[in-house]
Amino acid sequence: MANELAAHCVVSGVAEGEVIASSQSISFWGGVDPATGLINDPRHELFGQSIAGKVLVFPFGKGSSTGSLMILELVRVNKAPAAMINIKTEPILATGPIVCKHFYGKEIPIVTMEKSLFDTLKSGQYAKVNASLGRVIVRD
Amino acid sequence: MHLTNQEKSILSGSQGEAARIALQILVDLGEIFGADEMIPVTQVHIDTTIYMVDAGVEFAERMAELGGKFVVPTQLHPSAIDLVRWKELRVDPELLEKSRRIERAYLQMGAMATWTCAPYQQGLIPRFGEQIAWGESNAIAFANSVIGARTNRYADLMDICAGIIGKGPRFGLHLSENRKAEILITLEGFTEEMFTDRAIYPLLGFVFGEIAADRIAALEGIPSGVPIDSLKAFSAAAASSGAVGLFHIIGVTPEAQTLEMCSQGEPLERFEITPAMLRNAEERLSDNKIGRPDLVVLGCPHFSEEEFVLLAQLLRGRQIHESITCWVFTSRKVYSLIETNDILKELQLVGVDVFTDGCPLQYPTKNWSFHSAMSDSGKFVNYCYSQTGLKVVYGSLDECVETAVAGKLYKERALWRTN
């Protein structure tokens, strides 16, 4: 059954894909392999899993200001996530998708949502993210 | 966001495609984070200088091709390599070529070839209250906190856009109301004598950053005469363990001459740091089982004039042990000064190699057979294993020198280590 969740637009756009969800924060520099899109931080619960083409769900970004460059590289090699869902998005995380939009013409929408809604998202679900309308449609 | 007529005209392409893209990126970011307008900045520090991925080369080259020019003085963070002494550093042709392409693109846009991670000391130094747009965590933390200049934590690529436009979106740390302390960290169990040991500052910074995370923290209990290089080491370590863009040290940093001044009278949640917490941080960061490091690394962030004078004194009449390589990283500016006054020659004669432009965390590991390193930098020891694969041991400048001369690990029974 499809479920509609209210979201707040951070970076506009529309995208869909399989959900990959974590309760841990993610650093795109030192946390994701920019050549493959695999989570490569051995301390991360998603270690070894691919974020390429997925709707990546994590509470917030962390770490180096180089993360934005790594997102641009993931887009360049077609290994970027389709969309991202956070509880809070900080400027360094938003910079990557904004640059991608204006430099490669590729959209990676980002939305934020209330923690109670965020917590309902699980890996393996399928999500349609419409950031521009502030809406995420999820089905199991 | 309110845009001026000139900004609207840039967005419609009047000043070329590079300026249009750059401003569009800055405006989008400003819209998301509540900026009301763009704020002029006097200078920019670009962090997107180390070759890591091809997207970085493409972005710099494309912006240069599209006619992008920096409209305010725009300085450069280190390259991955020493652009002059790359042969001695055993740099691969591919890394050299990519680094040269990045260099060409930025110079074509009019960048200043500072190539330093200590721009607040060895580059374009801002003054108190100046609005600037800087990338690189250690530089941002130092400029905001120790100098009292104002910058957000500019992400890679956004720094380039700020240089092309000469402005940044007005939000966050550009504004006075967002610069007040949110928590207070006090030092408990420290004696005055402990602060004379420079080895405590990187560890204090590391623990401070862990506690602060992404909050603005005030620190109470540091003596007012703390050396500038110790503040540099503190700042770099704090910004490597936490998302620290601004900190206050009461009685030391300009926006915190008193607690009242940086808290603006509001009560703050309190935390404390004890010598035991520094010992614990050293245990986590430093592998003391390393009996003899192959490599001693100094200059993370880049070594200053004062640090070179200290190093030359410590090494006078002595020799680096044949089993140990000792590398110091600095800026072209400081290099030219020590080249002129013979400190460089003196150091080279006793076995020290000095590099410019580059970053010790980016040297071409696979062309060297090192297994372990020692450094006096909290930032270096924090990132060393993940970036270079080397095991690492932490020690003060004195301990690094004693180790390098003796050819085996030397650690002092420092007061903070024993009490």
Side-chain angles (χ1 to χ4, degrees), chain B residues 51-218:
Chain B
Y51 172 70
M52 289 181 179
V53 291
D54 284 345
V57 186
E58 264 183 30
F59 190 82
E61 287 185 337
R62 187 89 185 108
M63 292 305 253
E65 270 168 34
L66 291 172
K69 290 282 178 200
F70 298 126
V71 299
V72 290
T74 296
Q75 56 185 337
L76 301 173
H77 196 58
S79 171
I81 62 171
D82 185 325
L83 292 159
V84 182
R85 285 156 288 269
W86 51 271
K87 265 189 199 152
E88 289 94 307
L89 207 53
R90 301 184 193 170
V91 171
D92 290 329
E94 194 204 344
L95 178 56
L96 177 66
E97 194 247 343
K98 296 284 170 58
S99 301
R100 286 276 183 239
R101 284 171 60 188
I102 293 171
E103 179 186 30
R104 266 197 301 278
Y106 286 137
L107 296 184
Q108 190 183 330
M109 288 193 271
M112 306 289 166
T114 49
W115 302 115
T116 185
C117 48
Y120 41 79
Q121 195 179 39
Q122 302 168 38
L124 308 174
I125 304 167
R127 68 181 170 83
F128 179 80
E130 200 168 327
Q131 297 286 358
I132 60 175
W134 277 21
E136 161 53 27
S137 64
N138 105 82
I140 293 163
F142 191 101
N144 269 322
S145 314
V146 181
I147 297 177
R150 297 183 171 201
T151 178
N152 274 325
R153 298 174 66 227
Y154 279 73
D156 280 28
L157 309 167
M158 195 188 168
D159 45 14
I160 303 167
C161 298
I164 291 172
I165 301 301
K167 293 178 183 176
R170 188 173 174 273
F171 71 95
L173 296 176
H174 284 301
L175 302 169
S176 303
E177 61 264 34
N178 300 324
R179 297 176 64 89
K180 60 175 187 266
E182 297 164 299
I183 62 170
L184 174 65
I185 302 175
T186 58
L187 298 179
E188 306 298 333
F190 287 83
T191 62
E192 233 172 87
E193 211 183 332
M194 289 181 190
F195 293 103
T196 61
D197 182 354
R198 288 186 178 218
I200 73 167
Y201 292 96
L203 296 173
L204 266 179
F206 184 83
V207 174
F208 178 91
E210 285 188 318
I211 296 171
D214 61 354
R215 295 172 294 193
I216 300 172

Side-chain angles (χ1 to χ4, degrees), chain B residues 380-392:
Chain B
F380 183 87
V381 297
N382 188 12
Y383 289 134
C384 180
Y385 184 72
S386 69
Q387 291 301 300
T388 70
L390 298 186
K391 289 183 178 172
V392 68

Side-chain angles (χ1 to χ4, degrees), chain A residues 28 34 65-75 92 95-96, chain B residues 47-57 59 155-157:
Chain A
F28 278 84
S65 56
T66 304
S68 47
L69 177 60
M70 295 303 155
I71 291 178
L72 193 70
E73 177 70 5
L74 288 167
V75 167
I92 286 173
T95 298
Chain B
D47 180 53
T48 323
T49 49
I50 290 173
Y51 172 70
M52 289 181 179
V53 291
D54 284 345
V57 186
F59 190 82
D156 280 28
L157 309 167

